[in-house]
Amino acid sequence: MKNQEKQEQIIQTALHLFYERGFKNVSVMDICDACDITKPTFYKYVPSKEEILRHHYRGTLDELSERLRQLDPEPDFWRLIVLGLTFTLRKSVQMGPELYAQYMTLNFKTHTLTARYNSPARDATINSIRKAQENGQIRNMADPVELYLAARNLGLGLALKWCMVRGGYDVVAQTEANLAILFQPDHRRIEQAVADFERVRSR
């Protein structure tokens, strides 16, 4: 088995165990037993079980960047904004509040939270905000970077609340509703842009 395949096997096995038992209830030895490897082999491919959670989220950002790239030239910039600002959150919901809380705790301890704000997906989302403003699809004309950061912080606050209440409400729906309040989308203009795009594409 190639090195990358072995690393992926360890990561996916560990994530499965985290989902099943909870992060704190899974030891490195548990992961080793499930993969039929020794501890030295584990540490050859993965620095720590904590790094597996970080790897998961780095992969999520890469996945988001690819998704946004595939949607170009999407004329519904509001859709792209919402996707860019909720994609990671949707993955967090799949992980469950306990795992997401553990991931956030790791970031707070190592001061790495800001790393989530720097990625091609961030730049693509800011660009969608700018285009939405230029095309009248959103009414909030504040600086696109500041709008993005405000939206990210809004989502982060709702996600942390979701963790504190142990997943007791639909955090994605709540975030989308608050994003609409912040950005003030003009759905009539959005629908017109999509209709015009489809008309041109069908010729």
Side-chain angles (χ1 to χ4, degrees), residues 12 103 118 129 131-132 158 167 181 194 198-199:
Q12 292 306 316
Y103 170 71
N118 301 303
I129 294 171
K131 288 181 177 178
L158 289 170
I181 293 170
V194 172
E198 292 297 333
R199 192 178 304 112

Side-chain angles (χ1 to χ4, degrees), residues 24-36:
K24 293 179 181 178
N25 298 322
V26 177
S27 67
V28 169
M29 201 64 236
D30 291 331
I31 300 168
C32 292
D33 289 343
C35 294
D36 195 25

Side-chain angles (χ1 to χ4, degrees), residues 82-144:
V82 172
L83 176 65
L85 290 167
T86 63
F87 191 85
T88 301
L89 182 61
R90 291 173 190 276
K91 291 286 186 179
S92 301
V93 169
Q94 291 175 10
M95 292 182 76
E98 191 271 337
L99 271 184
Y100 183 66
Q102 186 64 46
Y103 170 71
M104 294 307 300
T105 300
L106 293 174
N107 280 324
F108 289 140
K109 286 181 178 177
T110 57
H111 307 288
T112 57
L113 183 61
T114 52
R116 298 177 61 228
Y117 291 127
N118 301 303
S119 72
R122 168 194 181 275
D123 296 339
T125 304
I126 291 171
N127 191 45
S128 293
I129 294 171
R130 187 174 291 111
K131 288 181 177 178
Q133 290 174 330
E134 292 170 355
N135 289 274
Q137 293 187 12
I138 58 174
R139 298 182 181 90
N140 191 329
M141 301 304 288
D143 178 77

